[in-house]
Amino acid sequence: MQIHEEARKFSYQTGVRVVVAYGGAPITQQLRDLERGVDILVATPGRLVDLLERARVSLQSIRYLALDEADRMLDMGFEPQVRRIVEQMDMPPRGVRQTLLFSATFPGEIQRMASDFLENYIFLAVGRVGSSTELIAQRVEFVQEADKRSHLMDLLHAQRDSSEQGKQALTLVFVETKRGADSLENWLCTNGFPATSIHGDRNQQEREYALRSFKSGQTPILVATDVAARGLDIPHVAHVVNFDLPNDIDDYVHRIGRTGRAGKSGIATAFFNDNNSSMAKSLADLMQESNQEVPAWLTRYAARPSYGGGGGRNRRGAVGGSRFGGRDFRRESSSFGKGGGASDYAGGSSYGGGGYGGAGAPSAWD
C-alpha cells in the first residue's frame, strides 16, 4: 500500500498507470484495476502468484523487477514464491530485464541466493550498512520485566510534558508477542494514553485502520510486533521504544529505523535486562559504531563471556562487522555460483559501497 501510494505521486499526470495487488483484501477490485491496464504493478508474492495461476497477469513484458526488503523476501518463507515468479513463469530472463534489490541489511548468505536473479550486477551501499543514523539518539535503560510498564508510563508522561501544547508525540512501541501487544494497548488506554496496535492476527483492514489512526495522531501510540518493523515509512515518529528487545540485531536496526527518517531526528529507547544478555555485545558495538554513548553497565555486560560472548550473532549466523552485509560477498570469496564472478567486482563508489571499475580500483571498504 505504501509503495503504491508513493508510486502514484510520482506518476501523477504522466499517463503511467500504477496498480497494487496484495493479500487480505478483496481480489475483485484488484482484477478490475488490472483489466484497465498497468505500467507499474506493486504486489506481494502470494497475491501475484495467485494472479498468475488465474492467468490474469502476464510477466513477459517486464523490463524492471524490484524487490524491496530483499533480504527478508528471500529469508522469511517467501523464497519459493519469489523463485516461482522469477524463474518459472513468463518473466524475461536476467540480462533482459533489469533487477534491483533494496534493503538496509543484506548478509552474504542472502546475497548468494539473490545472485541467482542477477547478472553482472553492481553492489552499492549508502552509508554504513546495518548501522544506525546519528540522527537517532539511542538510549538503553536497565529495566526489570516487572517494572517495564511503569517505566514506559514515566517516559510517555515526560514526553507529553515536554511537547508543544502537551500533545503526545507519535511513539512506536515494539513488543515480542501478539498477546503482549494487545495487553499493553489495553493497559495504555486504561491509563489515559490513547493507543492502538498491529500484529500478525490483525487482518489487512484492521492494520490499515490502526496505521491511519496512528498517523493522524488520533491514537499517537502504536504498539507493534515485528510485522511493523520492516518497510513502514510513517512520517513524524518521534520515539521508538523497544519495550521487548528482539533476539536479533538486524531486527533492532530495522525497528529503530522507523524514526530519524528523511533528515529528521528521533529517539530510540530500549529496555534491557538479564533476559537480553545475548544482545549485549552486538548492541554495544552498534551504538559505538553510531557514535552513541554506551552505558558503562552495558559495556560490562558485553565484556562478560557468558553475556556478550555470542559476538552479536544474527539469525543467519554472521558475526562481526560484516554481519549486516555491508560488503559484497564476492569480495570475500574467490568465486560464487551464478550471476557473475568475483573478478568482476573491483570499483569503489561515492555511495560508500562497491561498483565496477578497472582492475585494482580502490574500494570504499579498504
Side-chain angles (χ1 to χ4, degrees), residues 23-192:
I27 196 171
T28 309
Q29 183 58 49
Q30 295 174 7
L31 289 171
R32 289 198 198 100
D33 292 339
L34 287 166
E35 288 167 358
R36 297 189 187 103
V38 55
D39 298 297
I40 300 173
L41 176 60
V42 183
T44 56
R47 180 50 59 93
L48 183 54
V49 167
D50 186 11
L51 292 168
L52 289 164
E53 289 176 343
R54 294 172 184 238
R56 304 303 293 269
V57 169
S58 170
L59 305 177
Q60 63 182 2
S61 298
I62 292 294
R63 291 295 173 263
Y64 301 95
L65 169 66
L67 292 182
D68 193 24
E69 305 294 353
D71 61 336
R72 291 297 170 86
M73 290 288 279
L74 299 176
D75 188 37
M76 290 189 71
F78 291 114
E79 185 201 350
Q81 294 174 326
V82 173
R83 284 193 179 278
R84 187 174 180 188
I85 292 165
V86 175
E87 298 175 343
Q88 298 176 21
M89 300 297 182
D90 55 351
M91 173 85 69
R94 55 185 184 171
V96 176
R97 68 170 193 270
Q98 183 174 354
T99 306
L100 306 95
L101 300 102
F102 300 92
S103 183
T105 55
F106 214 171
E109 175 186 331
I110 307 300
Q111 287 186 42
R112 290 182 182 90
M113 198 182 301
S115 67
D116 290 349
F117 308 142
L118 303 167
E119 180 169 311
N120 194 33
Y121 67 85
I122 296 171
F123 184 98
L124 292 176
V126 180
R128 185 169 179 80
V129 176
S131 190
S132 163
T133 169
E134 293 181 26
L135 291 172
I136 302 174
Q138 297 179 59
R139 303 170 181 169
V140 182
E141 301 178 2
F142 194 94
V143 184
Q144 297 290 0
E145 289 294 324
D147 299 328
K148 281 185 175 181
R149 288 189 173 184
S150 61
H151 200 78
L152 176 61
M153 182 172 285
D154 290 342
L155 282 180
L156 295 174
H157 273 300
Q159 187 171 277
R160 180 187 287 176
D161 292 344
S162 63
S163 65
E164 294 180 7
Q165 301 175 340
K167 289 185 177 180
Q168 187 73 55
L170 294 189
T171 303
L172 183 52
V173 182
F174 281 105
V175 297
E176 278 292 279
T177 67
K178 293 175 281 190
R179 180 178 295 181
D182 288 336
S183 176
L184 186 58
E185 175 196 359
N186 292 335
W187 183 83
L188 286 167
C189 291
T190 301
N191 285 275

Side-chain angles (χ1 to χ4, degrees), residues 256-267:
I256 68 173
R258 299 313 97 199
T259 188
R261 300 176 74 81
K264 297 176 181 176
S265 60
I267 300 171

Side-chain angles (χ1 to χ4, degrees), residues 325-340:
R327 294 173 63 107
D328 186 338
F329 81 94
R330 292 172 293 182
R331 296 274 298 176
E332 299 167 2
S333 174
S334 59
S335 65
F336 64 102
K338 303 173 185 176

